[in-house]
Amino acid sequence: MGEKKQGNLMKSFIDYFYGNFVVLLLGFISLPLITRVLDTDEYGRTALFTSAVTVIYIFAILGLDQAYIRFFYKKGINRRRLFLQCLIPPAVIVLFLTTAYMFGADTFNRLLFGKSSLDVSLLVIGYTIISVFERFLFLNIRMEQRGKLYSNLNILSKVLNVSLIILFAVRLGNDFRVVLYAMTLSLGIVTLIVGIRYLFKVRREDTGTVDEKAAISEKELLRYGVPFIMMLMMEWLLSSMDKWSIRIFCDFDETGIYSAAMQIMTVLLTFKITFVAFWSPVAMEKYEKETEEVNKLFFADIFRKVQFLCVVAAFGLTICRGLIVLILGKNFRGAISVIPFLSLMPILSILFEMVVQGIKFKQQLRYINYASVAAILCNLIGNTLLVPILGGRGAAMATAFTYIVYFLIGTYFSEKCYPVGYPIRTFMISLVLYIGYAAFATFWTTEWISIVTGIVLLALVCVLNRVVIADLWKFARGLLPHPEKKEH
């Protein structure tokens, strides 16, 4: 890959990342603010709110967001028509599902949150409906590869969220509705802005000559999108089954501590969200426009670099977890033993998104479903066995090993569909080293010994990836401005 192309790719990634980096910094303001306003019980309820609305969202969206990504770059496609084809069915379904929820809202709310009120029901409904529109409007920005706009909107959303948390905390105090109101209103305001922008944009655009042969039928869109429901359900289960297991086997207090540790994962989840937003359109565009030989070299090279950075980030987060947990407040200090294994979740999510592109290219989505079923079973068994004994630590371990299974099966089937030759062996050695360190850090109480052990193992990972480090250093130097040599 040429230096110019690498520079353009890095510039595109930075356009996406800087907004999420600011969001990350704002998150470090909002998280201790929330954990000091809410006790562990109330904080645990906010996590279950997110879990509840996500289920409704998954079944409403029908995987049509993935269909929008898949066919956006198809030659001759009418993108305005494609947008409406993908948006309207989920919008209708979510209205139906939220209406059905309203009839049993009191029962559902007491099951989920241990309490119920009309505004909680309206917040569940409002957040879910807005999420559907937000998904497609933001997806349109991503597919246009408008990284700066995407970043600025994310910053605006987080600023609104922090401001609304302060406002409702003053009014409601120690009440989980503080977070619910802030999430729903901030999402609604930003979605309204993006929606208005989209309407003005499509009015200005001339659709020009459109190839009707390139048009995609609703049936074809659903055939591609519906299999993603299983994948999304798997992701929901992986992000929620641990909390539900703790809720069933423990209490809201333990759920709150675990959820706080999960929030700390935003350090790595920020990279995941940014990378997925950046990578999906880039990978799909390259598949449609470049030769197979060029693409395979490109995908393998990017994987080598990303896997190393992911492992370094996981080590760094676990080594520094003692300092990070200080921001949560004394009631949430138990999160320190949950972080090591939880750190595997975002890094394996990033790498999974990279390797399964081959499955999406060839539209063999049943393979993602196979990986999903195996991961769900692994997660269910792991939580059932470990949570009653180890609480949040057990849930984190179950989640980590589930993602390992998910990644490995996804990689196997993706290589079967579109063999790239990813350097998996090097990554697996680094992964084994990190798993050993995570187990040590989870159960070893002496902090300084844990830190020294982490630094030693990280050094081994660096030695193992010394060629990657050299490539990254060379690439970084190439991005810096070079002073012109004076002629004598």
Side-chain angles (χ1 to χ4, degrees), residues 219-235:
K219 185 177 180 180
E220 189 175 353
L221 290 171
L222 288 169
R223 188 185 300 121
Y224 181 82
V226 167
F228 278 94
I229 292 176
M230 176 65 77
M231 185 181 76
L232 291 170
M233 277 302 296
M234 193 285 307
E235 290 180 355

Side-chain angles (χ1 to χ4, degrees), residues 60 136 138 161 180 190 220 232 248 312 317 322 325 333 403 436:
F136 285 99
F138 267 78
N161 184 262
L180 273 57
V190 174
E220 189 175 353
L232 291 170
I248 293 167
V312 170
L317 189 60
V325 169
R333 296 290 162 77
Y403 270 94

Side-chain angles (χ1 to χ4, degrees), residues 52 57 121 128 153 155 172 188 291 338 373 414 438:
Y57 166 84
S121 301
T128 308
L153 288 167
I155 292 170
L172 298 175
T291 65
V338 179
V373 171
S414 186

Side-chain angles (χ1 to χ4, degrees), residues 6 10 301-310 312 465-479:
Q6 286 193 20
M10 179 58 70
D301 182 60
I302 295 295
F303 180 86
R304 285 172 60 244
K305 294 178 173 68
V306 173
Q307 63 84 21
F308 170 68
L309 294 173
C310 282
V312 170
N465 290 272
R466 57 191 179 277
V467 176
V468 177
I469 293 173
D471 287 347
L472 288 171
W473 175 247
K474 181 180 177 182
F475 175 56
R477 289 185 63 187
L479 294 177

Side-chain angles (χ1 to χ4, degrees), residues 2 10 32 101 109 111 132 160 180 185 190 231 254 308 325 327 335-336 397 399 406-407 462 481:
M10 179 58 70
Y101 162 80
N109 290 344
L111 174 66
V132 171
L160 287 170
L180 273 57
L185 291 176
V190 174
M231 185 181 76
E254 185 76 11
F308 170 68
V325 169
I327 70 174
I336 196 168
M397 292 173 69
T399 298
Y406 191 44
F407 168 77
C462 290

Side-chain angles (χ1 to χ4, degrees), residues 123 126-127 130 156-157 160-161 164-165 167-168 177-192:
L123 287 166
Y127 189 85
I130 294 168
L156 175 61
S157 179
L160 287 170
N161 184 262
L164 290 166
I165 285 172
L167 176 65
F168 285 103
R177 291 177 299 165
V178 168
V179 177
L180 273 57
Y181 273 113
M183 288 171 60
T184 304
L185 291 176
S186 60
L187 186 71
I189 292 168
V190 174
T191 302
L192 180 62

